[in-house]
Amino acid sequence: MRVVILPNAEQASLFAAEQVKKQITRKPTSVLGLATGSTPLKLYKELIESQKRGEISFADASSFNLDEYLGLAPEHPQSYHRFMRENFFEHIDIDLNNTHIPQGLTDNPITSCEAYEAKILEKGGIDLQILGIGRNGHIGFNEPSSGLASRTRVKTLSPSTIDDNARFFGPDETQPTLSLTMGIGTILDSKKLVLLAYGDGKADAIKDTVEGPLSASCPASALQMHKDALVIIDESAASKLEHQEFYLHVERENQKLLKTLGL
Ligand code: F6R
């Protein structure tokens, strides 16, 4: 696991954007795994600006989102379909037919989750998956106790996730308690993982992810099993890491090496 600690969310988002830009430049037909939530917003803004500057194009790329609320129509203001359209897809040149998000309104969630998995395989798998992390260590909507080999399926949201996301729902809106989410096994199949976390509210989850035991109690700790996982965090999210100095040292060495290799 490569841990990159940057002074603030702004710089961390720029660093994350560089990773996506490199990916899309190296392989314009890249399959991107995308997340919603507040964490990737600055990353999406930077990618939008970068495309406007003519540095990258998403015209040949495709995408798969991690999750969606079960029961919400794509037009629902709090749906992740709407979030992605408003915060990213509408502003870039991606072909909407090549964007995929689990269907919240489905008669048969089981077959629709299986179809989602099949579609990812048909596209050749995810090249780079962006992840946020919940305060409880969830990735996607894989709450603590999720199977580390789980696939796309229906998951019940934990009380802490429902609390965290309540801010997005109005007093007269019903907040869903179920979701459709890629499983941890699905996420681990991605060729590269980039997890972002900002703020001291994420410090415990990051400590458990990076330095805790591999455990379903912290679903993100499954990243320890991945051969190409990059954790990009700001100083606040890194504040509880015991080996902070070491990660900073390793990253300085990495940067020297990458420069020597011209990468
Ligand atoms: C959203 C998702 C979630 C969020 C996590 C953090 O698609 O997969 O795991 O990444 O809940 O949310 P924020 O970024 O709002 O703190």
Side-chain angles (χ1 to χ4, degrees), residues 125-178:
I126 294 171
D127 291 300
L128 183 154
Q129 174 70 56
I130 301 293
L131 296 166
I133 184 170
R135 277 186 306 131
N136 62 5
H138 75 211
I139 45 174
F141 273 134
N142 295 285
E143 301 286 24
S145 84
S146 290
L148 297 181
S150 50
R151 311 301 307 185
T152 305
R153 67 210 184 293
V154 175
K155 278 301 285 179
T156 305
L157 304 184
S158 71
S160 83
T161 300
I162 293 172
D163 276 1
D164 283 347
N165 292 352
R167 66 188 195 273
F168 299 115
F169 291 84
D172 43 359
E173 275 181 318
T174 310
Q175 187 182 353
T177 55
L178 296 175

Side-chain angles (χ1 to χ4, degrees), residues 66-67 117 120 126 129 131-132 136-155 180-193 195 209 214-226:
L66 285 164
D67 43 18
E117 288 274 332
I120 296 174
I126 294 171
Q129 174 70 56
L131 296 166
N136 62 5
H138 75 211
I139 45 174
F141 273 134
N142 295 285
E143 301 286 24
S145 84
S146 290
L148 297 181
S150 50
R151 311 301 307 185
T152 305
R153 67 210 184 293
V154 175
K155 278 301 285 179
L180 299 165
T181 180
M182 277 186 204
I184 298 176
T186 322
I187 293 169
L188 291 179
D189 281 350
S190 303
K191 294 172 192 88
K192 185 176 182 73
L193 299 177
L195 183 140
T209 299
L214 173 65
S215 162
S217 298
C218 175
S221 67
L223 267 66
Q224 294 173 22
M225 298 287 288
H226 197 274

